[in-house]
Amino acid sequence: MAVTPERPGAQEWVPEEPTLDRLRSAVDGCRGCELYADATQGVMGDGPPQAPLVVVGEQPGDQEDRAGEPFVGPAGRLLDQALESAGIDPGSVFRTNAVKHFRFSGTRGKQRIHKGPSRVHVAACQPWLLAELDVVRPRGVVLLGATAGQSVYGSAFRVGASRGQRLEWPESLALPRPPDWVVPTTHPSSVLRSRQRTEDLAALVADLQVAAGLL
Ligand code: URA
Ligand code: SF4
């Protein structure tokens, strides 16, 4: 993906010997793409440092941007509920996002309207996700939605084609100890927006059960 002087990618801001604390303090200084400029802060992942499962979302939303923590808003609450229904203790999971800064287009009253990241932002931000995975070294990874899927498998990735399946970590993305498996599924925000919420939540839980069975 095009690296430009204005959008050099995150690599040069990622600490050489990362720990979760070092990543958290370094992300605020990242100028790997232009999204830092309008966001409140960078939001790194959160959860047990040796979690067996890492769940990857899209990017922080309005509430996450203010709090500096991932998945603290409505999507996070639905995610917790779905994890529990699938038999996974939400407290055992490390949650993070493909992109670490909130993106929005305009405001509605006090609320800022979320705008999904572009491919260029996903590519620019990927070094942070790889650094987190290198520190946590989970057994498995669940990818929530197209953005997370594209961050790992590239822009041709489609959720519908692979959700609920056990995939291999791609060899093209070097990690010293890659996860044993990856399971893609839909994003909890799309369940929240759905008109067939009950069915879509059940499908999300079924995919998470696949991950639970592999843990
Ligand atoms: N949606 C995401 O993808 N990530 C968050 O942290 C919150 C909402
Ligand atoms: Fe850096 Fe990612 Fe933020 Fe862009 S979105 S400035 S690459 S942390």
Side-chain angles (χ1 to χ4, degrees), residues 57-61 64 69-72 75-76 96-97 187 189:
E58 183 188 62
Q59 66 176 358
E64 289 79 15
E69 297 287 331
F71 284 109
V72 293
T96 189
N97 286 298
H187 194 288
S189 296

Side-chain angles (χ1 to χ4, degrees), residues 43 55-60 71 96-101 117 121-130 132 143-152:
V43 180
V55 171
V56 185
E58 183 188 62
Q59 66 176 358
F71 284 109
T96 189
N97 286 298
V99 172
K100 310 304 192 200
H101 277 103
H121 306 123
V122 175
C125 215
Q126 192 196 51
W128 292 111
L129 177 63
L130 295 180
E132 287 178 303
L143 301 172
L144 301 174
T147 301
Q150 289 169 4
S151 175
V152 173

Side-chain angles (χ1 to χ4, degrees), residues 7 9-11 13 27-37 42-44 59 98-102 120-128:
R7 195 183 288 132
Q11 192 63 59
W13 286 274
V27 72
D28 258 336
C30 185
R31 302 292 180 263
C33 76
E34 71 281 15
L35 294 190
Y36 77 88
V43 180
M44 290 303 286
Q59 66 176 358
V99 172
K100 310 304 192 200
H101 277 103
F102 178 46
V120 290
H121 306 123
V122 175
C125 215
Q126 192 196 51
W128 292 111

Side-chain angles (χ1 to χ4, degrees), residues 105-122:
S105 62
T107 53
R108 194 189 293 124
K110 280 195 188 151
Q111 217 193 335
R112 298 166 298 171
I113 301 159
H114 165 267
K115 184 175 186 197
S118 298
R119 286 160 61 170
V120 290
H121 306 123
V122 175

